[in-house]
Amino acid sequence: MPAYDLIELLFFAYRDFVSDPDRILGEYGFGRAHHRVLHFVSRQPGLTIAELLDILRITKQSLNRVLKELIEKGFIESRTGTADRRQRLLFATPQGHDLALKLAKLQTRRIMRALADAEPAAKEAVSRYLLCLIDPDDREHVKRLVFGPGKT
């Protein structure tokens, strides 16, 4: 299969993968940046601003705008660090966690539908393929984030 065909398939797959969450996020006046922040904060309670910036690879200015909206609307709360009072730790509120879960369930359903008829080896191949799309110098870091310590 030519690479251009794969590029287009990836564009179309991503379009549909984010379409359901986009509709729900729009009801709140949120976009994909809000979704990503909410997802990672919900999955990793107590995440620091620096850790979130490292995960998302966005500017502090971009994060501040999105984070401010999520905090003001009651989806995320920022707490002062216990060990370092200058540190801000991020937590999803119950409302934020519920929204993150609702969005994840939509995407999980789409993924499970796509993998329903695939062999176990094909499921592993999809995981390996997605990891290979990630820059080589970042793969181990991403594996730790996604699969947790000791599961890489």
Side-chain angles (χ1 to χ4, degrees):
M1 179 178 283
Y4 273 105
D5 292 350
L6 290 173
I7 290 168
E8 289 182 7
L9 283 174
L10 193 56
F11 280 139
F12 286 120
Y14 180 71
R15 176 200 67 192
D16 291 351
F17 181 70
V18 297
S19 66
D20 296 327
D22 281 353
R23 278 190 289 280
I24 292 170
L25 289 162
E27 295 170 13
Y28 296 92
F30 294 158
R32 291 181 188 160
H34 296 85
H35 184 188
R36 288 187 296 272
V37 169
L38 192 55
H39 173 84
F40 286 106
V41 171
S42 182
R43 293 267 298 166
Q44 299 179 48
L47 200 61
T48 66
I49 300 283
E51 290 168 332
L52 187 55
L53 285 168
D54 185 51
I55 289 169
L56 299 175
R57 303 260 168 98
I58 60 174
T59 65
K60 195 170 186 179
Q61 183 179 3
S62 296
L63 177 61
N64 284 339
R65 180 189 61 77
V66 169
L67 197 53
K68 183 177 185 252
E69 290 177 35
L70 287 166
I71 290 170
E72 285 175 355
K73 291 186 177 184
F75 289 87
I76 289 181
E77 63 181 352
S78 174
R79 301 179 193 161
T80 304
T82 53
D84 183 349
R85 307 236 357 114
R86 296 169 297 174
Q87 205 171 41
R88 290 176 41 210
L89 307 179
L90 303 173
F91 295 86
T93 63
Q95 177 184 3
H97 182 72
D98 289 347
L99 179 57
L101 198 56
K102 181 177 183 178
L103 299 173
K105 283 181 180 179
L106 289 171
Q107 292 179 317
T108 298
R109 232 187 335 252
R110 183 175 292 276
I111 288 170
M112 296 314 290
R113 246 190 348 256
L115 293 175
D117 296 327
E119 300 291 326
K123 294 174 186 178
E124 179 61 33
V126 169
S127 181
R128 279 194 319 272
Y129 173 74
L130 291 173
L131 278 169
C132 287
L133 285 176
I134 297 165
D135 287 340
D137 61 337
D138 199 31
R139 282 186 200 143
E140 290 305 315
H141 178 240
V142 170
K143 282 184 190 179
R144 284 191 303 279
L145 286 170
V146 173
F147 302 116
K151 296 182 182 177
T152 59

